[in-house]
Amino acid sequence: QRSAKGVQIKAAHTYGSLIRAYGFLNDVDRVWATWREMRMRRVTPTCVTLGCMVEAVTNNGQPEVGLTLIHQMLASEETRSLVNAVIYCSVLKGFSHRKCFDQVWAVHDEMRANNMQYSVVTYNTLIDACARSGDMSRISLLLEQMSQEGIEPNVVTYSTIVKRYCLDN
């Protein structure tokens, strides 16, 4: 199992590092070639590898593709457990940055339906979507959900909210 350069690749984390690097370089073709090679060699991805892949395609303007990949992983018994809120967050950010706010909330609903464990980062991503869209009406509910789940808002949470209010005034 050697890459085109002759470096032996045996583990999912190595593939993840390559995928992440190619994504950072905006080389989506190599991102996909690396993913296909990994899958062809029957190397099972880890949650980190999957996260690198979803992030790579999403950061290169393809959050729909990242979401499709999540759906493929959820459909397989072998890979379902790899999907987590951190991976979904890449897609949330991608849709938010593209101002596709209906898709942000559809993914949020899907995450809830799939019982994803939220963190302060997940909520901050959703609050950022509210700030970007100007839809501040959702923030109270998000803060209430955070409280119910025992998740403390942090400086990012508050600064995101304040930033939007400053833009409005």
Side-chain angles (χ1 to χ4, degrees):
Q1 296 179 1
R2 295 186 183 275
S3 73
K5 299 284 184 192
V7 176
Q8 190 170 15
I9 302 172
K10 293 182 178 181
H13 68 273
T14 306
Y15 281 106
S17 295
L18 290 170
I19 288 166
R20 183 173 165 83
Y22 288 137
F24 182 76
L25 294 171
N26 302 315
D27 192 341
V28 178
D29 290 338
R30 284 196 176 163
V31 165
W32 280 110
T34 304
W35 180 261
R36 283 191 300 273
E37 177 184 323
M38 181 186 76
R39 299 300 282 166
M40 181 188 71
R41 293 176 188 240
R42 293 189 171 90
V43 175
T44 304
T46 65
C47 62
V48 173
T49 309
L50 176 59
C52 290
M53 185 63 188
V54 170
E55 183 179 49
V57 295
T58 298
N59 286 351
N60 280 284
Q62 300 175 2
E64 301 88 355
V65 174
L67 186 58
T68 298
L69 188 56
I70 288 171
H71 292 160
Q72 289 171 355
M73 297 295 109
L74 287 170
S76 168
E77 190 68 39
E78 178 186 23
T79 56
R80 180 177 298 129
S81 65
L82 301 178
V83 179
N84 58 43
V86 174
I87 293 169
Y88 265 112
C89 259
S90 292
V91 172
L92 287 172
K93 286 178 190 175
F95 284 134
S96 181
H97 288 198
R98 287 183 46 203
K99 301 189 184 316
C100 299
F101 301 112
D102 288 342
Q103 289 167 300
V104 168
W105 300 111
V107 171
H108 166 60
D109 292 343
E110 179 179 316
M111 291 172 69
R112 286 290 187 205
N114 286 319
N115 298 313
M116 291 293 123
Q117 179 102 24
Y118 280 40
S119 69
V120 70
V121 173
T122 312
Y123 281 108
N124 286 347
T125 301
L126 293 167
I127 290 169
D128 183 65
C130 292
R132 286 173 185 272
S133 69
D135 182 4
M136 301 303 280
S137 65
R138 295 180 187 258
I139 289 180
S140 293
L141 177 61
L142 292 170
L143 290 170
E144 184 178 315
Q145 289 172 345
M146 288 176 77
S147 177
Q148 290 171 352
E149 294 173 28
I151 299 172
E152 291 288 324
N154 62 17
V155 68
V156 174
T157 311
Y158 294 120
S159 64
T160 302
I161 295 168
V162 169
K163 176 176 68 175
R164 181 62 211 193
Y165 282 118
C166 288
L167 290 173
D168 287 343
N169 292 317

